[in-house]
DNA sequence: TTTT
DNA sequence: TTTT
């Protein structure tokens, strides 16, 4: 239900491997940095100047899982989501605003890297769970929350695995 | 020319009258705050919770002129533009990032307020130049650029007019 | 799941009241004719020439119900859907292709008619079921499928109701 | 200028090489068949059923030239255009309607085939003018206009070349 | 800060 | 066939 339209459509390339984390329920949350390129004619020189715009993208749910598995640094991707700005406090206690493109159940993702298997699996990541470092999100985050969307764990909760103590979702909004 | 796609589509309502300024060349630059509404079901209570997202929109050129003339606080509008994040320094010299939806020659605007005369003119603004405060863009901007897109004059440039001082929009972003 | 993107975004006005029908399961199916206006500069005369494009829109599910209830001839609406071309045979047995904008569970609709009560209910249609003509979808459709999307009943199915004959929408597409 | 929104966004693959023609002024006009894939869950069997939708795309101007040069059968492409339905008469003199996605100066195209040169040039087409057959559009077209957008020549007019007699633009609308 |  |  919406009494408005809030839609973002991007085609670009990932600046790094996606950052995959998990909510306490085991839901994937993926953060991406996506570059869209444009070039414009410089009024003075008349030359074509390339310009890269970087976008913070946050994915949830099934799409996040696929993105985490198959996208890699450099991957080209189409995404459709919505704009969202969240407010958080930096070290100095100042309000900081971060605008992200949120891709949830209503969004869409299309991998545009070509035909015949690409990225992810071919880079030796264990099937389904690439790039797991085996422990939790970066230390230091507790005190200096970076503009990640939340402070999710980067390890999925698995069945009856003991849930390690984790203080995520402490002070970061969203 | 672009090697990517960067597109934003919004339908929402203006939180205030548009802020119209002018570049030295006399080109209009309009800043808007646009609200898009959405409601989602709260997982706990099962209730429908309304949620408003605010967007900073910057318009240039012909579209800006039309927007400045006809849009008013509360106006419903369709806009199509692109995402752009710009970096500036706050008073403390810290980097601050502001993300805006830029509507330029490649963008689009549609006023969605209805039939039979609307906003703008009917609110007594002088034809074509609403809400002029009579003096110009901030001095001091050199050091503390506010989150406006540039430091444009809010009056069309007219020959060799002296540029008076102004202290609005001091330091608070967004 | 899609390995492609197929998206249509329209803002326009209805040429007539929506045509509401029902599948045997009681699901609403609404057909709309939507006009989008554009004007272009005539190369010869230099004059601005208005041009109206008409779109066939088919809505399903919840969105169809809302559309059927609240939209009326002249209503302004935002719709998001996908392109779909279906093939049918005309009276002469020739293949005919009709392209429609399909708005289903993945689509979106926003009524853009304004503030303070609008259309629909105010035109005396019985609450929730406007414009029912009291009998059902075309007989004879077996041989000459009309360009409606399917041959849905224009009355919600109610138990073992007798299905009366009707001859609307004879054979002329679009 | 538009008092409406009419936008189509597609990502898909070409079913054949593009069909490039030229207006009397030498402007390129390119026709494409673009497939977008989707799959849906069959209600009966519960299985995922693939479904391909074919789109007629017509490109004009600079975009058409680039498309004609670089796109080939199988190429993946992003296009943004508008819906347009044109009416023409078939052999029997009956009205036929064809809906196309028109990509003109307001549209956009992005080739999504990857990195490191692809298609087009590598297939031996003479630089800049692929697939020229050296003579004009199919005979027989005069009487039985196919649903091509116009009856443009498939050869560019070149400098002081004698313009061969051609009867295009005879009876085909659009 | 808007709107329904 | 709509709308401004």
């Amino acid at each position: 239900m919406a009494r408005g339209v809030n839609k973002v459509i991007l085609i670009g390339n990932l600046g790094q491997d996606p950052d995959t984390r998990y909510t306490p329920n085991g839901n994937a949350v993926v953060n991406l940095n996506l570059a869209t390129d444009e070039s414009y004619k410089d009024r003075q020189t008349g030359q074509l100047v390339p310009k890269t715009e970087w976008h913070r993208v946050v994915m949830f749910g099934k799409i996040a899982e696929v993105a985490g598995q198959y996208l890699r640094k450099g991957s080209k991707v189409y995404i459709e989501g919505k704009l969202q700005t969240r407010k958080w406090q930096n070290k100095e206690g100042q309000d900081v605003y971060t605008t992200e493109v949120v891709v949830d159940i209503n969004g869409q993702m299309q991998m545009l890297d070509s035909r015949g298997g690409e990225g992810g699996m071919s880079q030796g990541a264990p099937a389904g769970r690439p790039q797991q470092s085996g422990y939790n999100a970066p230390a230091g985050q507790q005190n200096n929350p970076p503009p990640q969307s939340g402070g999710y764990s980067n390890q999925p909760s698995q069945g009856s695995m003991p849930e390690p103590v984790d203080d995520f979702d402490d002070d970061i909004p969203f």
Side-chain angles (χ1 to χ4, degrees), chain A:
Chain A
M1 300 304 112
R3 276 175 309 105
V5 172
N6 176 358
K7 184 173 295 293
V8 180
I9 289 172
L10 302 174
I11 295 180
N13 299 281
L14 273 70
Q16 308 104 325
D17 283 356
D19 174 44
T20 304
R21 298 172 181 229
Y22 295 89
T23 66
N25 319 325
N27 295 126
V29 180
V30 163
N31 283 269
L32 302 178
N33 269 317
L34 196 66
T36 56
D37 292 316
E38 188 185 11
S39 51
Y40 62 96
K41 202 169 273 180
D42 184 286
R43 274 196 221 166
Q44 315 254 332
T45 69
Q47 281 193 305
L48 220 55
V49 183
K51 183 169 183 300
T52 295
E53 189 67 35
W54 287 97
H55 309 272
R56 295 183 56 86
V57 178
V58 194
M59 296 170 151
F60 295 91
K62 187 69 186 158
I63 286 179
E65 279 173 30
V66 176
Q69 276 183 49
Y70 295 107
L71 295 180
R72 287 296 169 268
K73 177 178 176 173
S75 295
K76 187 187 282 290
V77 70
Y78 165 94
I79 71 110
E80 183 186 331
K82 62 181 173 184
L83 272 181
Q84 203 162 273
T85 298
R86 59 196 172 79
K87 182 183 171 182
W88 50 285
Q89 272 80 34
N90 67 8
K91 280 196 241 190
E92 289 79 25
Q94 298 167 309
D95 287 348
V96 182
Y97 296 85
T98 297
T99 300
E100 290 162 320
V101 179
V102 174
V103 183
D104 59 16
I105 188 72
N106 299 307
Q108 210 180 330
M109 182 193 64
Q110 293 288 319
M111 292 177 289
L112 298 174
D113 284 307
S114 29
R115 306 101 187 275
E118 173 278 342
M121 320 317 280
S122 64
Q123 298 190 14
R129 290 304 172 212
Q131 255 79 345
Q132 291 308 328
S133 53
Y135 42 77
N136 275 341
Q141 256 195 352
Q142 306 82 301
N143 298 324
N144 305 316
Q148 296 298 125
S149 282
Y152 307 116
S153 164
N154 62 355
Q155 186 172 43
S157 58
Q158 288 168 340
S160 57
M161 230 187 78
E163 290 265 54
V165 176
D166 191 350
D167 56 352
F168 54 64
D169 263 337
D170 40 349
D171 55 344
I172 313 171
F174 182 73

